Amino acid sequence: MTTVVTYGTFDLFHIGHVRLLKRLHSLGDRLVVGLSSDEFNTVKGKNVVIPYEDRKEILLSCRYVDGVFQENCWEQKRDDLEREGADIFAMGDDWIGKFDDLQDIVKVVYLPRTQDVSTTELKTVINQVYDEKLREVRNVASHLNTLIEKL
């Protein structure tokens, strides 16, 4: 049985995540995900929208994922890979070269990211929609205030 291990935050689960997990699962028989904790995401400078336990439940509901464990720091990867009996450690190609030091215990694979979709892009769009709605509310409030003053 070939075990594949990957890591990630998997916030605002989207089609890019599904496609990545599908490709990762196709590399072996078992896919295990090291899911970054909320605290570790803070250390990495990431603000997650969905809390760890919910992100874990979402991942475990995906047919491509066989298990999830918590990632709390950068340094734990070697121990995790050994504990999980990993044969392949795979990450997105935005991490090329960063984990080559693990090649003494696993095959390290970097997969291309899904084009035109990312959590960062989704958060940007959500913030733009929020800002637009906030402007609309402020305009309405201003208009109502003007009407009230005329009364």
Side-chain angles (χ1 to χ4, degrees):
M1 176 176 281
T2 301
T3 297
V4 180
V5 173
T6 193
Y7 290 80
T9 298
F10 296 95
D11 197 21
L12 298 177
F13 198 77
H14 54 73
I15 192 65
H17 291 137
V18 174
R19 290 175 181 162
L20 174 64
L21 293 169
K22 183 178 182 180
R23 286 183 287 157
L24 291 167
H25 185 266
S26 74
L27 296 175
D29 304 301
R30 179 173 168 258
L31 174 61
V32 184
V33 177
L35 181 62
S36 299
S37 68
D38 296 338
E39 296 78 16
F40 186 43
N41 278 309
T42 299
V43 168
K44 294 189 289 184
K46 291 184 175 184
N47 295 317
V48 292
V49 174
I50 301 178
Y52 174 84
E53 288 301 326
D54 293 349
R55 290 182 287 118
K56 180 179 179 181
E57 187 174 337
I58 290 166
L59 281 172
L60 288 171
S61 74
C62 179
R63 68 180 176 190
Y64 305 115
V65 176
D66 299 297
V68 174
F69 61 87
Q70 189 166 307
E71 179 189 28
N72 297 303
C73 66
W74 296 111
E75 298 78 21
Q76 75 184 70
K77 286 183 178 51
R78 183 172 291 276
D79 290 340
D80 294 340
L81 294 169
E82 290 175 347
R83 181 191 67 244
E84 294 297 331
D87 301 287
I88 299 171
F89 171 60
M91 294 290 286
D93 61 4
D94 51 330
W95 291 96
I96 286 180
K98 301 281 189 206
F99 302 108
D100 289 352
D101 63 308
L102 297 170
Q103 290 182 40
D104 62 323
I105 60 169
V106 293
K107 178 179 179 182
V108 178
V109 176
Y110 301 101
L111 296 175
R113 294 177 57 95
T114 303
Q115 292 293 326
D116 303 323
V117 63
S118 75
T119 302
T120 301
E121 289 174 7
L122 287 174
K123 286 180 179 180
T124 299
V125 169
I126 290 168
N127 285 333
Q128 288 170 346
V129 169
Y130 173 79
D131 290 344
E132 183 178 321
K133 294 297 179 191
L134 186 58
R135 280 191 300 278
E136 288 176 13
V137 168
R138 286 181 176 152
N139 286 339
V140 169
S142 175
H143 181 68
L144 288 174
N145 192 36
T146 302
L147 289 174
I148 290 170
E149 288 174 356
K150 288 182 180 180
L151 294 175

